[in-house]
PDB file of all heavy atoms in Angstrom:
ATOM      1  N   ASP A   1     -21.234   5.554  22.698  1.00 96.00           N
ATOM      2  CA  ASP A   1     -22.633   5.868  23.009  1.00 96.00           C
ATOM      3  C   ASP A   1     -22.811   6.288  24.463  1.00 96.00           C
ATOM      4  O   ASP A   1     -23.616   7.163  24.764  1.00 96.00           O
ATOM      5  CB  ASP A   1     -23.534   4.664  22.711  1.00 96.00           C
ATOM      6  CG  ASP A   1     -23.643   4.390  21.217  1.00 96.00           C
ATOM      7  OD1 ASP A   1     -23.399   5.316  20.411  1.00 96.00           O
ATOM      8  OD2 ASP A   1     -23.955   3.233  20.859  1.00 96.00           O
ATOM      9  N   THR A   2     -22.050   5.679  25.355  1.00 95.00           N
ATOM     10  CA  THR A   2     -22.145   5.989  26.780  1.00 95.00           C
ATOM     11  C   THR A   2     -21.465   7.302  27.117  1.00 95.00           C
ATOM     12  O   THR A   2     -22.005   8.124  27.861  1.00 95.00           O
ATOM     13  CB  THR A   2     -21.510   4.859  27.617  1.00 95.00           C
ATOM     14  OG1 THR A   2     -22.189   3.643  27.322  1.00 95.00           O
ATOM     15  CG2 THR A   2     -21.588   5.144  29.104  1.00 95.00           C
ATOM     16  N   SER A   3     -20.245   7.474  26.563  1.00 96.00           N
ATOM     17  CA  SER A   3     -19.469   8.659  26.914  1.00 96.00           C
ATOM     18  C   SER A   3     -18.447   8.983  25.827  1.00 96.00           C
ATOM     19  O   SER A   3     -17.339   8.435  25.823  1.00 96.00           O
ATOM     20  CB  SER A   3     -18.739   8.435  28.243  1.00 96.00           C
ATOM     21  OG  SER A   3     -17.878   9.531  28.511  1.00 96.00           O
ATOM     22  N   PRO A   4     -18.805   9.857  24.895  1.00 95.00           N
ATOM     23  CA  PRO A   4     -17.825  10.254  23.880  1.00 95.00           C
ATOM     24  C   PRO A   4     -16.549  10.815  24.511  1.00 95.00           C
ATOM     25  O   PRO A   4     -15.455  10.604  23.997  1.00 95.00           O
ATOM     26  CB  PRO A   4     -18.551  11.320  23.058  1.00 95.00           C
ATOM     27  CG  PRO A   4     -19.999  11.071  23.285  1.00 95.00           C
ATOM     28  CD  PRO A   4     -20.097  10.504  24.677  1.00 95.00           C
ATOM     29  N   ALA A   5     -16.685  11.468  25.648  1.00 95.00           N
ATOM     30  CA  ALA A   5     -15.501  12.014  26.325  1.00 95.00           C
ATOM     31  C   ALA A   5     -14.564  10.889  26.756  1.00 95.00           C
ATOM     32  O   ALA A   5     -13.338  11.013  26.636  1.00 95.00           O
ATOM     33  CB  ALA A   5     -15.920  12.853  27.534  1.00 95.00           C
ATOM     34  N   ALA A   6     -15.120   9.786  27.245  1.00 94.00           N
ATOM     35  CA  ALA A   6     -14.285   8.642  27.638  1.00 94.00           C
ATOM     36  C   ALA A   6     -13.572   8.065  26.416  1.00 94.00           C
ATOM     37  O   ALA A   6     -12.388   7.710  26.483  1.00 94.00           O
ATOM     38  CB  ALA A   6     -15.136   7.569  28.312  1.00 94.00           C
ATOM     39  N   MET A   7     -14.281   7.976  25.296  1.00 93.00           N
ATOM     40  CA  MET A   7     -13.657   7.445  24.079  1.00 93.00           C
ATOM     41  C   MET A   7     -12.553   8.370  23.594  1.00 93.00           C
ATOM     42  O   MET A   7     -11.501   7.901  23.138  1.00 93.00           O
ATOM     43  CB  MET A   7     -14.711   7.240  22.991  1.00 93.00           C
ATOM     44  CG  MET A   7     -14.180   6.547  21.752  1.00 93.00           C
ATOM     45  SD  MET A   7     -13.583   4.880  22.134  1.00 93.00           S
ATOM     46  CE  MET A   7     -12.491   4.624  20.758  1.00 93.00           C
ATOM     47  N   LEU A   8     -12.766   9.671  23.677  1.00 92.00           N
ATOM     48  CA  LEU A   8     -11.721  10.621  23.275  1.00 92.00           C
ATOM     49  C   LEU A   8     -10.475  10.469  24.155  1.00 92.00           C
ATOM     50  O   LEU A   8      -9.346  10.516  23.664  1.00 92.00           O
ATOM     51  CB  LEU A   8     -12.234  12.048  23.332  1.00 92.00           C
ATOM     52  CG  LEU A   8     -13.167  12.458  22.205  1.00 92.00           C
ATOM     53  CD1 LEU A   8     -13.728  13.848  22.463  1.00 92.00           C
ATOM     54  CD2 LEU A   8     -12.461  12.400  20.857  1.00 92.00           C
ATOM     55  N   LYS A   9     -10.683  10.269  25.443  1.00 92.00           N
ATOM     56  CA  LYS A   9      -9.547  10.068  26.345  1.00 92.00           C
ATOM     57  C   LYS A   9      -8.824   8.767  26.019  1.00 92.00           C
ATOM     58  O   LYS A   9      -7.591   8.708  26.051  1.00 92.00           O
ATOM     59  CB  LYS A   9     -10.023  10.099  27.792  1.00 92.00           C
ATOM     60  CG  LYS A   9     -10.438  11.486  28.230  1.00 92.00           C
ATOM     61  CD  LYS A   9     -11.064  11.492  29.607  1.00 92.00           C
ATOM     62  CE  LYS A   9     -11.550  12.902  29.932  1.00 92.00           C
ATOM     63  NZ  LYS A   9     -12.350  12.946  31.142  1.00 92.00           N
ATOM     64  N   LEU A  10      -9.581   7.736  25.688  1.00 90.00           N
ATOM     65  CA  LEU A  10      -8.967   6.472  25.268  1.00 90.00           C
ATOM     66  C   LEU A  10      -8.171   6.679  23.980  1.00 90.00           C
ATOM     67  O   LEU A  10      -7.061   6.152  23.832  1.00 90.00           O
ATOM     68  CB  LEU A  10     -10.028   5.389  25.074  1.00 90.00           C
ATOM     69  CG  LEU A  10      -9.513   4.017  24.669  1.00 90.00           C
ATOM     70  CD1 LEU A  10      -8.616   3.423  25.746  1.00 90.00           C
ATOM     71  CD2 LEU A  10     -10.694   3.084  24.384  1.00 90.00           C
ATOM     72  N   ALA A  11      -8.710   7.461  23.080  1.00 88.00           N
ATOM     73  CA  ALA A  11      -8.007   7.742  21.821  1.00 88.00           C
ATOM     74  C   ALA A  11      -6.691   8.470  22.068  1.00 88.00           C
ATOM     75  O   ALA A  11      -5.702   8.239  21.361  1.00 88.00           O
ATOM     76  CB  ALA A  11      -8.904   8.549  20.883  1.00 88.00           C
ATOM     77  N   LEU A  12      -6.667   9.319  23.073  1.00 87.00           N
ATOM     78  CA  LEU A  12      -5.430  10.032  23.398  1.00 87.00           C
ATOM     79  C   LEU A  12      -4.329   9.075  23.852  1.00 87.00           C
ATOM     80  O   LEU A  12      -3.151   9.333  23.641  1.00 87.00           O
ATOM     81  CB  LEU A  12      -5.686  11.084  24.480  1.00 87.00           C
ATOM     82  CG  LEU A  12      -6.505  12.291  24.054  1.00 87.00           C
ATOM     83  CD1 LEU A  12      -6.809  13.175  25.261  1.00 87.00           C
ATOM     84  CD2 LEU A  12      -5.790  13.080  22.968  1.00 87.00           C
ATOM     85  N   VAL A  13      -4.717   7.975  24.464  1.00 84.00           N
ATOM     86  CA  VAL A  13      -3.759   6.971  24.932  1.00 84.00           C
ATOM     87  C   VAL A  13      -3.145   6.208  23.750  1.00 84.00           C
ATOM     88  O   VAL A  13      -2.093   5.608  23.880  1.00 84.00           O
ATOM     89  CB  VAL A  13      -4.461   5.998  25.908  1.00 84.00           C
ATOM     90  CG1 VAL A  13      -3.559   4.858  26.319  1.00 84.00           C
ATOM     91  CG2 VAL A  13      -4.952   6.739  27.129  1.00 84.00           C
ATOM     92  N   GLN A  14      -3.799   6.266  22.613  1.00 82.00           N
ATOM     93  CA  GLN A  14      -3.341   5.501  21.452  1.00 82.00           C
ATOM     94  C   GLN A  14      -1.898   5.805  21.057  1.00 82.00           C
ATOM     95  O   GLN A  14      -1.249   4.972  20.436  1.00 82.00           O
ATOM     96  CB  GLN A  14      -4.263   5.735  20.254  1.00 82.00           C
ATOM     97  CG  GLN A  14      -5.526   4.930  20.328  1.00 82.00           C
ATOM     98  CD  GLN A  14      -5.238   3.459  20.293  1.00 82.00           C
ATOM     99  OE1 GLN A  14      -5.056   2.819  21.318  1.00 82.00           O
ATOM    100  NE2 GLN A  14      -5.162   2.897  19.117  1.00 82.00           N
ATOM    101  N   GLY A  15      -1.380   6.949  21.406  1.00 83.00           N
ATOM    102  CA  GLY A  15       0.002   7.267  21.077  1.00 83.00           C
ATOM    103  C   GLY A  15       0.975   6.255  21.641  1.00 83.00           C
ATOM    104  O   GLY A  15       1.962   5.900  20.997  1.00 83.00           O
ATOM    105  N   ILE A  16       0.694   5.749  22.845  1.00 89.00           N
ATOM    106  CA  ILE A  16       1.589   4.738  23.416  1.00 89.00           C
ATOM    107  C   ILE A  16       1.430   3.397  22.724  1.00 89.00           C
ATOM    108  O   ILE A  16       2.308   2.556  22.785  1.00 89.00           O
ATOM    109  CB  ILE A  16       1.420   4.575  24.948  1.00 89.00           C
ATOM    110  CG1 ILE A  16       0.091   3.937  25.319  1.00 89.00           C
ATOM    111  CG2 ILE A  16       1.632   5.886  25.655  1.00 89.00           C
ATOM    112  CD1 ILE A  16      -0.005   3.502  26.771  1.00 89.00           C
ATOM    113  N   ASN A  17       0.312   3.223  22.063  1.00 87.00           N
ATOM    114  CA  ASN A  17       0.015   1.977  21.354  1.00 87.00           C
ATOM    115  C   ASN A  17       0.832   1.842  20.068  1.00 87.00           C
ATOM    116  O   ASN A  17       0.840   0.779  19.458  1.00 87.00           O
ATOM    117  CB  ASN A  17      -1.483   1.934  21.049  1.00 87.00           C
ATOM    118  CG  ASN A  17      -1.997   0.553  20.793  1.00 87.00           C
ATOM    119  OD1 ASN A  17      -1.465  -0.426  21.287  1.00 87.00           O
ATOM    120  ND2 ASN A  17      -3.054   0.472  20.018  1.00 87.00           N
ATOM    121  N   THR A  18       1.493   2.903  19.667  1.00 90.00           N
ATOM    122  CA  THR A  18       2.243   2.879  18.406  1.00 90.00           C
ATOM    123  C   THR A  18       3.705   3.263  18.574  1.00 90.00           C
ATOM    124  O   THR A  18       4.451   3.257  17.604  1.00 90.00           O
ATOM    125  CB  THR A  18       1.601   3.837  17.383  1.00 90.00           C
ATOM    126  OG1 THR A  18       1.605   5.157  17.925  1.00 90.00           O
ATOM    127  CG2 THR A  18       0.172   3.419  17.045  1.00 90.00           C
ATOM    128  N   HIS A  19       4.127   3.583  19.785  1.00 92.00           N
ATOM    129  CA  HIS A  19       5.500   4.047  20.008  1.00 92.00           C
ATOM    130  C   HIS A  19       6.483   2.880  19.939  1.00 92.00           C
ATOM    131  O   HIS A  19       6.434   1.957  20.742  1.00 92.00           O
ATOM    132  CB  HIS A  19       5.620   4.745  21.364  1.00 92.00           C
ATOM    133  CG  HIS A  19       6.995   5.268  21.610  1.00 92.00           C
ATOM    134  ND1 HIS A  19       7.437   6.457  21.064  1.00 92.00           N
ATOM    135  CD2 HIS A  19       8.036   4.755  22.302  1.00 92.00           C
ATOM    136  CE1 HIS A  19       8.694   6.649  21.425  1.00 92.00           C
ATOM    137  NE2 HIS A  19       9.077   5.634  22.182  1.00 92.00           N
ATOM    138  N   CYS A  20       7.355   2.939  18.955  1.00 95.00           N
ATOM    139  CA  CYS A  20       8.372   1.897  18.792  1.00 95.00           C
ATOM    140  C   CYS A  20       9.653   2.578  18.332  1.00 95.00           C
ATOM    141  O   CYS A  20       9.806   2.903  17.159  1.00 95.00           O
ATOM    142  CB  CYS A  20       7.920   0.842  17.791  1.00 95.00           C
ATOM    143  SG  CYS A  20       9.122  -0.487  17.588  1.00 95.00           S
ATOM    144  N   GLN A  21      10.558   2.788  19.273  1.00 95.00           N
ATOM    145  CA  GLN A  21      11.806   3.480  18.992  1.00 95.00           C
ATOM    146  C   GLN A  21      12.939   2.701  19.650  1.00 95.00           C
ATOM    147  O   GLN A  21      12.844   2.294  20.806  1.00 95.00           O
ATOM    148  CB  GLN A  21      11.732   4.890  19.571  1.00 95.00           C
ATOM    149  CG  GLN A  21      12.983   5.698  19.457  1.00 95.00           C
ATOM    150  CD  GLN A  21      12.844   7.041  20.174  1.00 95.00           C
ATOM    151  OE1 GLN A  21      11.817   7.369  20.748  1.00 95.00           O
ATOM    152  NE2 GLN A  21      13.909   7.810  20.140  1.00 95.00           N
ATOM    153  N   GLY A  22      14.007   2.478  18.911  1.00 96.00           N
ATOM    154  CA  GLY A  22      15.186   1.852  19.485  1.00 96.00           C
ATOM    155  C   GLY A  22      15.146   0.344  19.563  1.00 96.00           C
ATOM    156  O   GLY A  22      16.069  -0.273  20.076  1.00 96.00           O
ATOM    157  N   VAL A  23      14.089  -0.246  19.082  1.00 97.00           N
ATOM    158  CA  VAL A  23      13.938  -1.700  19.116  1.00 97.00           C
ATOM    159  C   VAL A  23      13.326  -2.139  17.781  1.00 97.00           C
ATOM    160  O   VAL A  23      12.464  -1.441  17.235  1.00 97.00           O
ATOM    161  CB  VAL A  23      13.066  -2.133  20.325  1.00 97.00           C
ATOM    162  CG1 VAL A  23      11.650  -1.648  20.204  1.00 97.00           C
ATOM    163  CG2 VAL A  23      13.107  -3.623  20.543  1.00 97.00           C
ATOM    164  N   PRO A  24      13.764  -3.272  17.228  1.00 97.00           N
ATOM    165  CA  PRO A  24      13.144  -3.733  15.979  1.00 97.00           C
ATOM    166  C   PRO A  24      11.645  -3.996  16.159  1.00 97.00           C
ATOM    167  O   PRO A  24      11.202  -4.507  17.182  1.00 97.00           O
ATOM    168  CB  PRO A  24      13.901  -5.040  15.675  1.00 97.00           C
ATOM    169  CG  PRO A  24      15.196  -4.918  16.409  1.00 97.00           C
ATOM    170  CD  PRO A  24      14.872  -4.133  17.652  1.00 97.00           C
ATOM    171  N   ARG A  25      10.884  -3.638  15.153  1.00 97.00           N
ATOM    172  CA  ARG A  25       9.429  -3.777  15.239  1.00 97.00           C
ATOM    173  C   ARG A  25       8.982  -5.213  15.532  1.00 97.00           C
ATOM    174  O   ARG A  25       8.045  -5.411  16.306  1.00 97.00           O
ATOM    175  CB  ARG A  25       8.770  -3.214  13.982  1.00 97.00           C
ATOM    176  CG  ARG A  25       8.993  -1.672  13.944  1.00 97.00           C
ATOM    177  CD  ARG A  25       8.125  -0.963  12.962  1.00 97.00           C
ATOM    178  NE  ARG A  25       6.727  -0.935  13.327  1.00 97.00           N
ATOM    179  CZ  ARG A  25       6.169  -0.054  14.180  1.00 97.00           C
ATOM    180  NH1 ARG A  25       6.900   0.831  14.815  1.00 97.00           N
ATOM    181  NH2 ARG A  25       4.878  -0.083  14.396  1.00 97.00           N
ATOM    182  N   PRO A  26       9.615  -6.239  14.973  1.00 98.00           N
ATOM    183  CA  PRO A  26       9.177  -7.603  15.317  1.00 98.00           C
ATOM    184  C   PRO A  26       9.317  -7.920  16.811  1.00 98.00           C
ATOM    185  O   PRO A  26       8.481  -8.630  17.375  1.00 98.00           O
ATOM    186  CB  PRO A  26      10.085  -8.500  14.472  1.00 98.00           C
ATOM    187  CG  PRO A  26      10.458  -7.646  13.303  1.00 98.00           C
ATOM    188  CD  PRO A  26      10.587  -6.252  13.872  1.00 98.00           C
ATOM    189  N   VAL A  27      10.333  -7.387  17.453  1.00 98.00           N
ATOM    190  CA  VAL A  27      10.514  -7.603  18.892  1.00 98.00           C
ATOM    191  C   VAL A  27       9.379  -6.923  19.648  1.00 98.00           C
ATOM    192  O   VAL A  27       8.775  -7.504  20.558  1.00 98.00           O
ATOM    193  CB  VAL A  27      11.889  -7.056  19.352  1.00 98.00           C
ATOM    194  CG1 VAL A  27      12.056  -7.202  20.859  1.00 98.00           C
ATOM    195  CG2 VAL A  27      13.018  -7.745  18.598  1.00 98.00           C
ATOM    196  N   TRP A  28       9.069  -5.699  19.250  1.00 97.00           N
ATOM    197  CA  TRP A  28       7.986  -4.924  19.848  1.00 97.00           C
ATOM    198  C   TRP A  28       6.644  -5.637  19.656  1.00 97.00           C
ATOM    199  O   TRP A  28       5.866  -5.787  20.597  1.00 97.00           O
ATOM    200  CB  TRP A  28       7.992  -3.536  19.214  1.00 97.00           C
ATOM    201  CG  TRP A  28       6.981  -2.564  19.699  1.00 97.00           C
ATOM    202  CD1 TRP A  28       7.027  -1.837  20.857  1.00 97.00           C
ATOM    203  CD2 TRP A  28       5.777  -2.179  19.024  1.00 97.00           C
ATOM    204  NE1 TRP A  28       5.919  -1.018  20.933  1.00 97.00           N
ATOM    205  CE2 TRP A  28       5.149  -1.214  19.828  1.00 97.00           C
ATOM    206  CE3 TRP A  28       5.189  -2.554  17.825  1.00 97.00           C
ATOM    207  CZ2 TRP A  28       3.941  -0.619  19.460  1.00 97.00           C
ATOM    208  CZ3 TRP A  28       3.985  -1.969  17.459  1.00 97.00           C
ATOM    209  CH2 TRP A  28       3.383  -1.014  18.277  1.00 97.00           C
ATOM    210  N   HIS A  29       6.400  -6.105  18.433  1.00 97.00           N
ATOM    211  CA  HIS A  29       5.140  -6.819  18.166  1.00 97.00           C
ATOM    212  C   HIS A  29       5.059  -8.107  18.974  1.00 97.00           C
ATOM    213  O   HIS A  29       3.992  -8.449  19.498  1.00 97.00           O
ATOM    214  CB  HIS A  29       4.997  -7.133  16.670  1.00 97.00           C
ATOM    215  CG  HIS A  29       4.585  -5.971  15.844  1.00 97.00           C
ATOM    216  ND1 HIS A  29       3.390  -5.309  16.016  1.00 97.00           N
ATOM    217  CD2 HIS A  29       5.220  -5.350  14.821  1.00 97.00           C
ATOM    218  CE1 HIS A  29       3.293  -4.323  15.120  1.00 97.00           C
ATOM    219  NE2 HIS A  29       4.391  -4.324  14.395  1.00 97.00           N
ATOM    220  N   ALA A  30       6.171  -8.826  19.075  1.00 98.00           N
ATOM    221  CA  ALA A  30       6.171 -10.079  19.844  1.00 98.00           C
ATOM    222  C   ALA A  30       5.779  -9.811  21.293  1.00 98.00           C
ATOM    223  O   ALA A  30       4.960 -10.547  21.868  1.00 98.00           O
ATOM    224  CB  ALA A  30       7.546 -10.739  19.768  1.00 98.00           C
ATOM    225  N   ALA A  31       6.338  -8.778  21.883  1.00 97.00           N
ATOM    226  CA  ALA A  31       6.009  -8.438  23.269  1.00 97.00           C
ATOM    227  C   ALA A  31       4.531  -8.082  23.399  1.00 97.00           C
ATOM    228  O   ALA A  31       3.869  -8.477  24.375  1.00 97.00           O
ATOM    229  CB  ALA A  31       6.892  -7.285  23.749  1.00 97.00           C
ATOM    230  N   ARG A  32       3.986  -7.379  22.416  1.00 96.00           N
ATOM    231  CA  ARG A  32       2.569  -7.004  22.452  1.00 96.00           C
ATOM    232  C   ARG A  32       1.659  -8.225  22.303  1.00 96.00           C
ATOM    233  O   ARG A  32       0.620  -8.322  22.955  1.00 96.00           O
ATOM    234  CB  ARG A  32       2.267  -5.972  21.357  1.00 96.00           C
ATOM    235  CG  ARG A  32       2.909  -4.613  21.654  1.00 96.00           C
ATOM    236  CD  ARG A  32       2.717  -3.611  20.519  1.00 96.00           C
ATOM    237  NE  ARG A  32       1.375  -3.599  19.966  1.00 96.00           N
ATOM    238  CZ  ARG A  32       0.307  -3.048  20.569  1.00 96.00           C
ATOM    239  NH1 ARG A  32       0.427  -2.469  21.736  1.00 96.00           N
ATOM    240  NH2 ARG A  32      -0.870  -3.068  19.977  1.00 96.00           N
ATOM    241  N   ILE A  33       2.044  -9.163  21.455  1.00 95.00           N
ATOM    242  CA  ILE A  33       1.249 -10.392  21.293  1.00 95.00           C
ATOM    243  C   ILE A  33       1.191 -11.149  22.611  1.00 95.00           C
ATOM    244  O   ILE A  33       0.125 -11.595  23.046  1.00 95.00           O
ATOM    245  CB  ILE A  33       1.836 -11.277  20.162  1.00 95.00           C
ATOM    246  CG1 ILE A  33       1.627 -10.609  18.799  1.00 95.00           C
ATOM    247  CG2 ILE A  33       1.194 -12.671  20.185  1.00 95.00           C
ATOM    248  CD1 ILE A  33       2.437 -11.243  17.662  1.00 95.00           C
ATOM    249  N   VAL A  34       2.330 -11.289  23.266  1.00 94.00           N
ATOM    250  CA  VAL A  34       2.378 -11.990  24.553  1.00 94.00           C
ATOM    251  C   VAL A  34       1.529 -11.269  25.593  1.00 94.00           C
ATOM    252  O   VAL A  34       0.786 -11.905  26.352  1.00 94.00           O
ATOM    253  CB  VAL A  34       3.839 -12.152  25.032  1.00 94.00           C
ATOM    254  CG1 VAL A  34       3.897 -12.670  26.469  1.00 94.00           C
ATOM    255  CG2 VAL A  34       4.601 -13.083  24.089  1.00 94.00           C
ATOM    256  N   ALA A  35       1.619  -9.949  25.644  1.00 93.00           N
ATOM    257  CA  ALA A  35       0.840  -9.183  26.624  1.00 93.00           C
ATOM    258  C   ALA A  35      -0.656  -9.344  26.380  1.00 93.00           C
ATOM    259  O   ALA A  35      -1.428  -9.547  27.333  1.00 93.00           O
ATOM    260  CB  ALA A  35       1.240  -7.710  26.574  1.00 93.00           C
ATOM    261  N   ALA A  36      -1.091  -9.274  25.135  1.00 91.00           N
ATOM    262  CA  ALA A  36      -2.519  -9.448  24.826  1.00 91.00           C
ATOM    263  C   ALA A  36      -2.961 -10.871  25.147  1.00 91.00           C
ATOM    264  O   ALA A  36      -4.039 -11.084  25.719  1.00 91.00           O
ATOM    265  CB  ALA A  36      -2.787  -9.114  23.357  1.00 91.00           C
ATOM    266  N   ARG A  37      -2.131 -11.842  24.797  1.00 88.00           N
ATOM    267  CA  ARG A  37      -2.453 -13.243  25.068  1.00 88.00           C
ATOM    268  C   ARG A  37      -2.613 -13.461  26.573  1.00 88.00           C
ATOM    269  O   ARG A  37      -3.497 -14.185  27.011  1.00 88.00           O
ATOM    270  CB  ARG A  37      -1.357 -14.148  24.514  1.00 88.00           C
ATOM    271  CG  ARG A  37      -1.574 -15.621  24.838  1.00 88.00           C
ATOM    272  CD  ARG A  37      -0.427 -16.488  24.369  1.00 88.00           C
ATOM    273  NE  ARG A  37       0.752 -16.189  25.168  1.00 88.00           N
ATOM    274  CZ  ARG A  37       1.998 -16.330  24.732  1.00 88.00           C
ATOM    275  NH1 ARG A  37       2.243 -16.745  23.512  1.00 88.00           N
ATOM    276  NH2 ARG A  37       3.011 -16.051  25.509  1.00 88.00           N
ATOM    277  N   HIS A  38      -1.770 -12.820  27.354  1.00 87.00           N
ATOM    278  CA  HIS A  38      -1.829 -12.985  28.811  1.00 87.00           C
ATOM    279  C   HIS A  38      -3.175 -12.525  29.370  1.00 87.00           C
ATOM    280  O   HIS A  38      -3.654 -13.067  30.365  1.00 87.00           O
ATOM    281  CB  HIS A  38      -0.695 -12.208  29.480  1.00 87.00           C
ATOM    282  CG  HIS A  38      -0.731 -12.297  30.962  1.00 87.00           C
ATOM    283  ND1 HIS A  38      -0.327 -13.427  31.643  1.00 87.00           N
ATOM    284  CD2 HIS A  38      -1.148 -11.428  31.905  1.00 87.00           C
ATOM    285  CE1 HIS A  38      -0.491 -13.238  32.938  1.00 87.00           C
ATOM    286  NE2 HIS A  38      -0.984 -12.031  33.125  1.00 87.00           N
ATOM    287  N   GLU A  39      -3.791 -11.553  28.729  1.00 82.00           N
ATOM    288  CA  GLU A  39      -5.087 -11.048  29.192  1.00 82.00           C
ATOM    289  C   GLU A  39      -6.232 -11.975  28.809  1.00 82.00           C
ATOM    290  O   GLU A  39      -7.369 -11.729  29.162  1.00 82.00           O
ATOM    291  CB  GLU A  39      -5.335  -9.642  28.646  1.00 82.00           C
ATOM    292  CG  GLU A  39      -4.334  -8.618  29.145  1.00 82.00           C
ATOM    293  CD  GLU A  39      -4.269  -8.528  30.653  1.00 82.00           C
ATOM    294  OE1 GLU A  39      -5.330  -8.490  31.305  1.00 82.00           O
ATOM    295  OE2 GLU A  39      -3.147  -8.495  31.184  1.00 82.00           O
ATOM    296  N   ASP A  40      -5.932 -13.044  28.066  1.00 70.00           N
ATOM    297  CA  ASP A  40      -6.896 -14.080  27.700  1.00 70.00           C
ATOM    298  C   ASP A  40      -8.083 -13.552  26.894  1.00 70.00           C
ATOM    299  O   ASP A  40      -9.219 -13.933  27.116  1.00 70.00           O
ATOM    300  CB  ASP A  40      -7.395 -14.825  28.944  1.00 70.00           C
ATOM    301  CG  ASP A  40      -8.068 -16.155  28.582  1.00 70.00           C
ATOM    302  OD1 ASP A  40      -7.667 -16.762  27.570  1.00 70.00           O
ATOM    303  OD2 ASP A  40      -8.998 -16.565  29.293  1.00 70.00           O
ATOM    304  N   CYS A  41      -7.794 -12.646  25.984  1.00 67.00           N
ATOM    305  CA  CYS A  41      -8.829 -12.161  25.080  1.00 67.00           C
ATOM    306  C   CYS A  41      -8.417 -12.550  23.665  1.00 67.00           C
ATOM    307  O   CYS A  41      -7.535 -11.918  23.073  1.00 67.00           O
ATOM    308  CB  CYS A  41      -8.994 -10.646  25.204  1.00 67.00           C
ATOM    309  SG  CYS A  41     -10.247 -10.004  24.065  1.00 67.00           S
ATOM    310  N   GLY A  42      -9.027 -13.595  23.144  1.00 81.00           N
ATOM    311  CA  GLY A  42      -8.667 -14.096  21.820  1.00 81.00           C
ATOM    312  C   GLY A  42      -8.797 -13.071  20.712  1.00 81.00           C
ATOM    313  O   GLY A  42      -7.872 -12.893  19.918  1.00 81.00           O
ATOM    314  N   PRO A  43      -9.933 -12.344  20.621  1.00 83.00           N
ATOM    315  CA  PRO A  43     -10.068 -11.360  19.549  1.00 83.00           C
ATOM    316  C   PRO A  43      -9.024 -10.240  19.629  1.00 83.00           C
ATOM    317  O   PRO A  43      -8.523  -9.780  18.608  1.00 83.00           O
ATOM    318  CB  PRO A  43     -11.486 -10.820  19.729  1.00 83.00           C
ATOM    319  CG  PRO A  43     -12.230 -11.947  20.370  1.00 83.00           C
ATOM    320  CD  PRO A  43     -11.225 -12.579  21.297  1.00 83.00           C
ATOM    321  N   CYS A  44      -8.686  -9.812  20.845  1.00 85.00           N
ATOM    322  CA  CYS A  44      -7.653  -8.771  20.980  1.00 85.00           C
ATOM    323  C   CYS A  44      -6.295  -9.320  20.556  1.00 85.00           C
ATOM    324  O   CYS A  44      -5.521  -8.628  19.888  1.00 85.00           O
ATOM    325  CB  CYS A  44      -7.573  -8.262  22.414  1.00 85.00           C
ATOM    326  SG  CYS A  44      -8.986  -7.247  22.898  1.00 85.00           S
TER     327      CYS A  44
END
């Protein structure tokens, strides 16, 4: 609502949010869980 352009730019970043190559997916997911937990946002 504030800035569709900002949301589109955020959407472009989503590619890094799914890149998993050369490492088993559970290892990748584990690292992401720890990183999100570190930011102290329960819903995220």
